[in-house]
Amino acid sequence: MAQELIVYNSFREFYPYYLKEHTNRTNRRLHFVGTTLGFLTIAYALLTGQYKYLLLALVFGYGFAWAGHFFIEKNKPATFKYPIWSFRGDMKMYTSILSGKIKF
């Protein structure tokens, strides 16, 4: 039976669900590493004019995150159901890890 898609009316409603899908610390670490590599790759591509590396940034960002979900957390990435909310959740979790609000 297919899971019913819950409609979230705001990011504030969605973010607790997002955090529930990221309870495993190793999964969060993989997200953080992938996002960091993605940011560094974007910076490199823009600074050197080698724009072909922009696609690699997506591979880093999503590759590490999806590995964390499939192999560590054993769930499906929120990106599949809620791509925009999920991206916002990734950025909020990333900054929360940087600030120490969420444990690395």
Side-chain angles (χ1 to χ4, degrees):
M1 189 185 288
Q3 272 188 320
E4 188 176 320
L5 186 66
I6 298 169
V7 176
Y8 294 101
N9 295 309
S10 68
F11 181 71
R12 185 178 185 158
E13 286 180 17
F14 170 78
Y15 194 58
Y17 161 78
Y18 178 88
L19 289 176
K20 192 177 82 176
E21 297 293 300
H22 298 83
T23 57
N24 185 288
R25 195 170 178 187
T26 302
N27 183 30
R28 289 193 309 269
R29 287 176 174 169
L30 285 170
H31 277 66
F32 188 85
V33 169
T35 300
T36 300
L37 289 172
F39 285 153
L40 292 172
T41 304
I42 289 169
Y44 176 80
L46 296 176
L47 291 171
T48 64
Q50 297 186 45
Y51 302 112
K52 62 186 175 190
Y53 288 107
L54 291 174
L55 288 176
L56 185 59
L58 292 173
V59 171
F60 282 138
Y62 286 108
F64 277 78
W66 291 355
H69 284 288
F70 292 128
F71 301 115
I72 306 295
E73 194 91 44
K74 306 241 190 270
N75 61 18
K76 289 184 182 174
T79 304
F80 294 159
K81 293 188 243 177
Y82 309 101
I84 295 170
W85 292 130
S86 178
F87 180 77
R88 270 188 79 183
D90 286 344
M91 294 303 102
K92 181 167 180 156
M93 185 172 71
Y94 186 83
T95 58
S96 294
I97 291 171
L98 276 177
S99 69
K101 289 180 184 174
I102 294 178
K103 274 190 169 185
F104 181 75

